[in-house]
Amino acid sequence: MVRLCRHDRLPARRYNLPYDERQRMQLSFSRNMVDWCFAGLVAAGATVPESRHYASMAIDGDDLVVLSRSGTPQAKSPHNGDMITFHRIPDFRSLVY
């Protein structure tokens, strides 16, 4: 579970930046390119170094496939990931509401 908190209560490894969230990679959509809606959570890390970012995506039939620069708990920092992860979102177009 990821908890939101005040910036002064963030762990030191977050560099005191409350907007620097890299633990969750979420899928969003927009009908007008201005208003964005949450469609689903693609991946989430349990600790600060377990980041998910710089995603590359492709469509494979009805699925969305995502390759992400990611981190394990042993990663040097949230930015310096130490692995690549692959994610598949089946029938991703059905997530639009």
Side-chain angles (χ1 to χ4, degrees):
M1 169 188 268
V2 178
R3 294 184 179 97
L4 299 176
C5 65
R6 294 182 353 202
H7 71 81
D8 58 335
R9 293 185 181 176
L10 292 171
R13 293 187 77 180
R14 283 292 298 277
Y15 313 107
N16 215 18
L17 300 173
Y19 55 83
D20 189 21
E21 177 63 59
R22 293 181 182 222
Q23 286 174 254
R24 294 177 297 216
M25 183 169 46
Q26 70 181 41
L27 189 61
S28 301
F29 70 92
S30 175
R31 294 182 185 272
N32 60 13
M33 299 301 289
V34 174
D35 303 309
W36 291 88
C37 301
F38 176 77
L41 188 63
V42 177
T47 63
V48 172
E50 293 178 80
S51 59
R52 308 288 184 258
H53 48 99
Y54 301 122
S56 296
M57 297 172 278
I59 296 172
D60 182 22
D62 291 331
D63 299 349
L64 181 68
V65 292
V66 182
L67 199 63
S68 171
R69 179 174 162 182
S70 302
T72 64
Q74 293 76 33
K76 184 176 179 181
S77 73
H79 180 265
N80 297 322
D82 56 359
M83 71 175 176
I84 301 293
T85 54
F86 177 80
H87 312 274
R88 179 177 293 272
I89 299 96
D91 197 21
F92 74 100
R93 290 181 182 94
S94 70
L95 299 172
V96 174
Y97 51 89

